[in-house]
Amino acid sequence: SIEIDEDSPEDLKARAPIVTVMGHVDHGKTSLLDYIREENVIAGESGGITQHIGAYGVTLESGQKMTFLDTPGHEAFTAMRARGAQVTDIAIIVIAADDDIMPQTKEAISHAQAAGVPIVFAINKIDRPTANPDKIKEGLAQMNLLVEDWGGKIQSHDISAKTGDGVKDLLEKVLLEAELLELKANPDKLANGTVVEAFLDKGRGYVSTILVQAGTLKIGDYVLAGTCSGKIKAMQDERGKNIKKAGPATPISILGLDGAPQAGDKFNVLDDEREAKQIAAKRSQLQREQSVRTQRH
Ligand code: GDP
């Protein structure tokens, strides 16, 4: 069995917030994620982020860290939530200032609200001559979403994901929101977390990007993730650097699983390799039986 141990308050240490970017198609989610990824170079580290592993961590000028799920669109968010995974602490919802509040914007808002995740609005494309951020804020007010400029409590910032204008201030607002959440995790135990994506690489075998949410993952640990298991052979960060351990709110790609788990699958580290294999096998069998049953009905 997988033990769910209770952490005592003194075991908990501050961790970085995990942020998802959502919004209507073409409103600038990818551009914003790209801008943040490309602009941020960790102090003392020469290389930028070279790998698209589905999530990345950045360090702001203030020295504070933030983790972004690099899977724009709420499809990934919804898929993960459907599997019971709650990985996001804060949602940035991008709205193009030269457009309207569109159906997918509304969907993103309701997904975030349903998950109880605080929203920070990024009113994007303000470099465009036809941009009208006030019209967007008015539209939000009509939906009962009052942003700060309108006397409300919801954070919002005008940005251009293209020129980078306002992006730093947007991130500071996200951090402020994160501070209110007092995010903590216990780094001193066996790791658990969520699978972000996984695929089969011809040369390297199964590569999975996972987000450690609690504990510390180490090379040699036995991991159980959905219906897959295996001993961690190697870990890499988003800069392609080999690392030996990863603590809470760290996204990493790992090698060593015997298959590709699904986005949103939880992972755990078990003491015992045999137990990990047995649980994975039992889950596969249950899944097969379930699919046989659904085919019959
Ligand atoms: P996504 O579908 O939400 O990921 O949107 P993209 O990031 O792919 O952006 C859609 C289009 O809008 C692309 O052609 C971008 O270059 C453009 N775009 C995104 N942000 C900005 C911006 O701030 N200003 C301008 N002028 N164009 C932008």
Side-chain angles (χ1 to χ4, degrees):
S1 65
I2 301 160
E3 282 164 45
I4 311 285
D5 50 338
E6 297 275 344
D7 298 310
S8 49
E10 64 268 23
D11 295 334
L12 297 175
K13 307 245 161 67
R15 65 160 175 87
I18 299 162
V19 181
T20 302
V21 176
M22 298 195 281
H24 196 75
V25 64
D26 282 347
H27 278 197
K29 300 176 293 291
T30 312
S31 304
L32 178 60
L33 281 162
D34 287 351
Y35 182 85
I36 297 168
R37 187 198 302 107
E38 281 156 24
E39 282 308 300
N40 191 272
V41 176
I42 283 204
E45 217 175 316
S46 53
I49 297 170
T50 51
Q51 320 268 55
H52 278 258
I53 66 170
Y56 62 79
V58 294
T59 308
L60 304 187
E61 269 171 11
S62 59
Q64 278 162 301
K65 289 182 195 294
M66 248 186 212
T67 300
F68 283 87
L69 286 178
D70 194 6
T71 47
H74 50 254
E75 295 81 6
F77 184 79
T78 319
M80 285 203 196
R81 283 240 309 142
R83 309 184 72 77
Q86 177 79 309
V87 287
T88 304
D89 300 307
I90 293 169
I92 296 179
I93 296 186
V94 179
I95 310 178
D98 63 346
D99 200 356
D100 293 309
I101 297 173
M102 299 298 279
Q104 278 175 285
T105 314
K106 291 180 184 165
E107 243 175 76
I109 292 168
S110 39
H111 283 311
Q113 286 176 332
V117 171
I119 294 169
V120 176
F121 287 109
I123 315 293
N124 191 32
K125 307 198 187 182
I126 51 156
D127 60 291
R128 289 210 168 148
T130 52
N132 188 352
D134 274 330
K135 192 187 89 180
I136 301 295
K137 289 168 200 173
E138 185 182 352
L140 290 172
Q142 279 163 6
M143 294 169 65
N144 254 331
L145 298 162
L146 280 183
V147 298
E148 277 189 320
D149 298 1
W150 280 63
K153 289 200 176 122
I154 304 173
Q155 308 257 23
S156 117
H157 205 77
D158 296 353
I159 65 158
S160 166
K162 192 174 170 185
T163 66
D165 203 17
V167 173
K168 259 186 204 160
D169 295 328
L170 170 76
L171 298 185
E172 289 303 330
K173 287 186 174 177
V174 172
L175 266 185
L176 243 120
E177 201 62 49
E179 276 163 25
L180 297 177
L181 298 173
E182 294 186 39
L183 301 165
K184 287 179 179 157
N186 177 4
D188 301 313
K189 61 178 182 181
L190 296 180
N192 67 64
T194 302
V195 176
V196 177
E197 59 178 41
F199 62 94
L200 178 61
D201 181 275
K202 268 192 184 145
R204 296 184 295 164
Y206 290 103
V207 182
S208 311
T209 295
I210 60 177
L211 190 61
V212 178
Q213 290 175 277
T216 297
L217 189 68
K218 302 181 190 77
I219 288 187
D221 280 349
Y222 295 115
V223 169
L224 168 68
T227 56
C228 308
S229 69
K231 183 177 176 172
I232 303 227
K233 289 191 289 196
M235 298 199 270
Q236 270 192 351
D237 65 11
E238 66 282 69
R239 287 163 177 78
K241 206 173 95 186
N242 284 308
I243 50 173
K244 292 198 169 85
K245 54 183 188 170
T250 313
I252 37 161
S253 61
I254 58 165
L255 297 181
L257 291 184
D258 60 3
Q262 300 199 47
D265 275 342
K266 299 292 290 175
F267 81 82
N268 288 80
V269 170
L270 299 187
D271 284 327
D272 182 349
E273 183 178 16
R274 233 184 45 200
E275 193 186 0
K277 278 188 177 148
Q278 279 170 354
I279 299 174
K282 208 175 268 175
R283 284 180 181 166
S284 300
Q285 194 190 345
L286 277 172
Q287 225 174 50
R288 276 194 302 272
E289 286 171 8
Q290 201 126 37
S291 75
V292 169
R293 263 201 301 275
T294 40
Q295 275 164 20
R296 279 202 199 121
H297 291 290

